[in-house]
Amino acid sequence: MNRSAPSNTAPSHRIQQLCVFCGSSSGDNPAYANAAEHLGREFAGAGIGLVFGGGRVGLMGALANAVLAAGGRAVGVIPKALVEKEIAHTSLTELHIVNSMHERKALMADLADAFVLLPGGFGSWEEFCEMFTWLQLGIHRKPCGVLNVAGYYDSLIAQASRAVSDGFLRASHLESLTIATDPRSLLLRLASAPILQEIKWISKQER
C-alpha cells in the first residue's frame, strides 16, 4: 500500500477535481466529521474541486459545506430517487440530477481525476471499490486513496492484505492504493502516486 512520503520528482497526476465517497450519516465519532471538514478546507486551499454524492446531510454535507465555506468548488451528482432521501444540497457550484445509481457512478468517474474513500457504509464502500476495480482493469488510470480516520478502515486494510496473501489480489494492485490518516498527506500522496502499470483488459466503453 502506498504509504510513503511523496518523492521530489514532478507529480504523476494533475488533480483538478477529486471524487469523495463518504457517509450520508455523520457517525458517532466526532473525528469523522472533523476529518471531512479538514479535507474540504484542504481541497479549497489546493484549488481542487470536489465531486461527491450531492447530499447535504452526514459527512457528505460536512465535506461540501467546508469546501464552499473556504471558497472552493463542489459538484454533486445524485439520482432522482435520492434527492429527497439524501436531501440534495442546493447551494453547490453544480448539481447533476441523474436517473440511476449506475449513471451517477459513471458521471462521477468521468468528472474526477482521483477518488477517495472516507468513513461510510456499504454504499460508500461499493462506490469506491468499483472505482478501484476499474483501476485494476485499466478502465481508468486515476489514483485511489483511503482516509483512514480513527482506525475506521484498519479491518478493511487487513482484509485486503489477506486477499494478497491468499492469492485473490495482486500485490502491485494493493500497493497502488494510497492510505493516509491526515487529509493533507493524502492529497500530496495521491498527486505523486505511481501509475499502475497493467494491461488494459477491457475498455472504458465496456465498463
Side-chain angles (χ1 to χ4, degrees), residues 61-143:
L63 174 63
N65 289 338
V67 170
L68 295 169
R73 308 183 313 278
V75 177
V77 184
I78 190 168
K80 291 178 181 177
L82 292 182
V83 168
E84 292 185 3
K85 292 181 181 179
E86 292 187 353
I87 314 179
H89 202 306
T90 58
S91 301
L92 302 175
T93 309
E94 297 176 33
L95 178 62
H96 299 272
I97 299 177
V98 296
N99 293 317
S100 68
M101 292 293 290
H102 293 293
E103 187 177 349
R104 178 196 220 180
K105 287 185 288 186
L107 180 55
M108 293 169 84
D110 290 340
L111 290 173
D113 302 307
F115 307 95
V116 162
L117 176 65
L118 265 62
F122 278 105
S124 302
W125 305 338
E126 182 272 332
E127 290 169 324
F128 179 79
C129 286
E130 183 161 356
M131 293 304 109
F132 189 63
T133 300
W134 288 2
L135 175 63
Q136 292 178 277
L137 294 175
I139 297 173
H140 67 72
R141 303 185 76 189
K142 302 172 182 181

Side-chain angles (χ1 to χ4, degrees), residues 145-165:
V146 174
L147 187 61
N148 189 20
V149 182
Y152 185 77
Y153 284 117
D154 286 353
S155 296
L156 176 63
I157 296 165
Q159 183 61 50
S161 296
R162 173 69 183 270
V164 172
S165 64

Side-chain angles (χ1 to χ4, degrees), residues 38-49 66-67 70-73 184 187:
H38 184 180
L39 182 62
R41 293 190 293 270
E42 292 292 340
F43 269 47
I48 297 173
V67 170
R73 308 183 313 278
R184 181 172 295 182
L187 294 183

